Amino acid sequence: MNTLFKNIARFILLALFQVLVFNQLELGYGIHIMIYPLFIMLLPFEMGIISLLSLAFLMGFLVDIFSNTYGLHASSLLMMTYFRPRIFKMFSPIDGYDPIKEPTFFDMGIRWFLSTFAYLLLIHHFWYFLIEIFRFNEIFSILIKTSLSFMFSIGLSIVIQQLLYKKVKRQ
Amino acid sequence: MNNLIAFFKRFRVFLLFALLQVFSLTLYINYLTFPRNQYLTTASSFTGKILEIENDLTKHFNLSKNNQALQEENIRLRRKLKQSLYQVEGKYLKVDDTLFKQQYTYLPATVINSSVSKRNNYFTLNVGRKQGVYKGLGVFSDKGVVGIIHNSGEHYSVVKTVLTKDINIDVSIDPKGLFGLLKWNGADPKRGSIYGISNDLSIKKRSKVITKGGSGIFPRGLLIGSVEKIKPIAGEPQWEVIVKFAENFSTLQRVYVVKNLLMKEQKKIENQVPNNEE
């Protein structure tokens, strides 16, 4: 019950943050900060891929509605979610994941979190800019946008996670 | 039959993934090409309301700058008032004028949601069908042209700005009246390019770029920006003219929607031209 409540709170908070704060920030150089993938990353380990995909679609679509992109965010988040179990398997500890722990960087350590989330977020960002630009002669600009936005997104994801985690703990 | 069920069971994850993926990509591509559905964009009243609340909170960030711009425009308009004109001869100044008929009307609006860093940038305005805003009307600010209404909901509407790939506004470069099409290359929100100007014509830097007004969306002579650079296009007898936009789109808040009252008449007459069928 507690996990469910926590994840609903995360869903709403991350969606609101994305739509009302980060969608309005224009840093230039094609940087587009996306923090909502963090929601999918932080869902419990034992959650099935079918429910993960459905939640990803829901989240992506919500962001789409508010940013006039109409399916672009949903598509990228689905792509990332599809690879989540594979990447998690790649970085799995020897005796598997402890179901009590959560995939946050407090529970699993900064090294584990950074490596898994970096892979997932890279997939997400690359797919997003690839579909948005959709020209292979601009592959250079796709890569630049991906890497610049990626750096901002992952940094802010960690900061926001710290804020969210402390908030939940206090309750 | 059993085989089929076994197949679906085995690949159910991938099938669900593929289904959702195809669904969202189809929506995205459809929206780019045929923007008919407006329920799931910021033109709908639910999302519009939320973005309006957000805008209420953040609109003060650029307030002093916007106020100054409005004041400057007021001064410009005040100069044209009857009181500030010197009357040369009494009988020539008539208030009830029948020589001129109103062709364009304007509606003030506020930008409540905007982006400049995407490949196609859309703004959301707080006016909609209730105020008589519909698809195809022009939008401009006190400094320059902003875009064309893309779709409109009951109370909100979405503008396709000049910062979209296929905006194609017909423009003219001022002192010589050279006509071209304004496009945007998708990278720099401060600059656009004009195509369609033959490269045997010379263009001066810093000459003004204004709307041509040929399609009837904008009145003639609205400012867009100034010429910054002229580049030859390889293999084509054309210039690519780089324009620096007069408007800074990232801080834009107050805009005007322009409606051409004689648009129907223009369209009707233009439709009588026989199509060139070959």
Side-chain angles (χ1 to χ4, degrees):
Chain A
M1 197 59 202
N2 194 16
T3 336
L4 180 72
F5 172 75
K6 223 193 294 187
N7 278 309
I8 291 175
R10 265 184 206 142
F11 183 90
I12 296 168
L13 279 177
L14 283 175
L16 281 180
F17 257 92
Q18 178 66 44
V19 169
L20 298 183
V21 181
F22 294 112
N23 272 4
Q24 316 294 332
L25 279 184
E26 304 281 359
L27 298 178
Y29 306 105
I31 295 174
H32 185 41
I33 301 173
M34 290 178 271
I35 53 146
Y36 63 93
L38 193 62
F39 169 70
I40 295 295
M41 175 70 194
L42 294 183
L43 286 171
F45 282 118
E46 69 273 15
M47 201 158 183
I49 176 84
I50 299 275
S51 28
L52 280 178
L53 282 175
S54 327
L55 280 174
F57 184 68
L58 205 71
M59 181 64 157
F61 218 72
L62 194 71
V63 177
D64 274 327
I65 290 171
F66 279 97
S67 36
N68 288 331
T69 40
Y70 228 88
L72 185 56
H73 287 286
S75 166
S76 339
L77 199 59
L78 279 170
M79 203 67 184
M80 174 191 135
T81 313
Y82 186 67
F83 282 99
R84 189 184 111 134
R86 279 145 218 254
I87 305 268
F88 272 22
K89 217 182 221 168
M90 239 166 74
F91 290 94
S92 158
I94 301 160
D95 46 353
Y97 287 108
D98 189 347
I100 306 166
K101 286 186 176 172
E102 279 198 310
T104 58
F105 83 91
F106 297 100
D107 279 10
M108 298 302 296
I110 186 90
R111 205 159 142 198
W112 178 88
F113 180 83
L114 270 185
S115 43
T116 35
F117 193 48
Y119 271 99
L120 291 175
L121 206 62
L122 266 182
I123 293 173
H124 175 274
H125 278 38
F126 181 66
W127 185 260
Y128 177 88
F129 289 112
L130 185 71
I131 299 294
E132 188 190 21
I133 296 177
F134 209 67
R135 273 190 212 160
F136 282 99
N137 57 358
E138 289 184 33
I139 189 81
F140 193 61
S141 110
I142 293 177
L143 290 178
I144 283 185
K145 282 185 171 185
T146 306
S147 43
L148 282 177
S149 308
F150 167 76
M151 283 190 281
F152 276 87
S153 298
I154 201 161
L156 274 164
S157 293
I158 287 173
V159 171
I160 278 176
Q161 204 184 128
Q162 206 146 11
L163 295 175
L164 281 184
Y165 186 82
K166 276 184 182 160
K167 210 175 199 175
V168 171
K169 204 179 170 189
R170 238 182 271 136
Q171 284 166 354
Chain B
M1 195 64 202
N2 274 344
N3 276 343
L4 191 70
I5 291 171
F7 172 80
F8 276 122
K9 261 193 176 158
R10 187 151 175 228
F11 290 103
R12 65 183 193 282
V13 172
F14 183 74
L15 285 176
L16 177 73
F17 168 70
L19 189 83
L20 291 176
Q21 189 69 268
V22 166
F23 179 72
S24 32
L25 283 181
T26 320
L27 270 183
Y28 176 63
I29 291 159
N30 267 343
Y31 180 65
L32 286 187
T33 34
F34 314 104
R36 272 171 302 199
N37 188 341
Q38 57 176 36
Y39 295 105
L40 292 172
T41 65
T42 47
S44 76
S45 48
F46 169 68
T47 47
K49 194 79 212 158
I50 288 184
L51 288 171
E52 196 171 28
I53 292 169
E54 191 268 344
N55 183 56
D56 271 348
L57 292 175
T58 56
K59 68 183 173 194
H60 305 292
F61 293 161
N62 298 316
L63 196 64
S64 56
K65 213 167 136 195
N66 277 303
N67 275 343
Q68 201 177 352
L70 288 178
Q71 203 175 14
E72 274 162 17
E73 188 179 26
N74 273 340
I75 290 169
R76 213 158 55 236
L77 295 176
R78 203 171 268 274
R79 279 199 201 114
K80 292 182 187 164
L81 276 180
K82 212 178 88 184
Q83 290 99 306
S84 37
L85 297 178
Y86 180 71
Q87 201 166 353
V88 184
E89 200 171 349
K91 60 184 179 183
Y92 286 123
L93 237 173
K94 254 185 176 178
V95 180
D96 188 18
D97 198 343
T98 50
L99 275 178
F100 294 99
K101 197 178 163 194
Q102 185 98 34
Q103 189 183 359
Y104 292 96
T105 59
Y106 305 94
L107 180 74
T110 307
V111 177
I112 59 171
N113 187 30
S114 66
S115 72
V116 297
S117 61
K118 287 188 194 147
R119 181 46 65 107
N120 291 298
N121 296 291
Y122 296 90
F123 290 178
T124 311
L125 302 186
N126 66 345
V127 289
R129 277 203 299 270
K130 270 235 161 97
Q131 286 87 358
V133 174
Y134 49 84
K135 189 178 180 223
L137 296 185
V139 178
F140 66 97
S141 70
D142 62 310
K143 278 191 219 135
V145 168
V146 175
I148 294 167
I149 299 278
H150 194 49
N151 62 36
S152 62
E154 196 67 21
H155 301 100
Y156 301 99
S157 46
V158 171
V159 188
K160 183 177 191 168
T161 62
V162 289
L163 307 180
T164 43
K165 252 192 298 185
D166 46 356
I167 181 76
N168 292 344
I169 290 179
D170 49 349
V171 297
S172 123
I173 297 177
D174 197 18
K176 291 194 174 171
L178 308 170
F179 295 147
L181 274 184
L182 180 73
K183 288 173 196 261
W184 190 57
N185 64 358
D188 188 353
K190 290 191 177 111
R191 286 165 190 85
S193 354
I194 301 174
Y195 292 93
I197 294 176
S198 166
N199 68 358
D200 54 349
L201 300 163
S202 70
I203 299 163
K204 264 192 201 143
K205 270 186 194 176
R206 285 192 288 283
S207 44
K208 265 195 206 162
V209 178
I210 57 174
T211 51
K212 181 187 162 197
S215 57
I217 295 171
F218 295 105
R220 194 191 158 87
L222 278 182
L223 188 66
I224 288 173
S226 54
V227 172
E228 191 178 65
K229 216 160 75 181
I230 299 113
K231 277 201 298 199
I233 305 176
E236 274 181 71
Q238 279 186 12
W239 293 123
E240 181 190 348
V241 181
I242 310 283
V243 185
K244 190 163 191 317
F245 293 131
E247 180 58 74
N248 179 8
F249 293 104
S250 53
T251 59
L252 184 62
Q253 280 181 340
R254 302 278 162 189
V255 294
Y256 303 94
V257 179
V258 51
K259 190 195 247 175
N260 186 352
L261 299 173
L262 306 179
M263 186 72 162
K264 256 188 197 152
E265 195 179 325
Q266 185 181 347
K267 279 274 141 14
K268 201 174 131 199
I269 284 181
E270 281 175 358
N271 283 343
Q272 286 169 3
V273 177
N275 277 336
N276 195 5
E277 285 166 23
E278 283 171 37

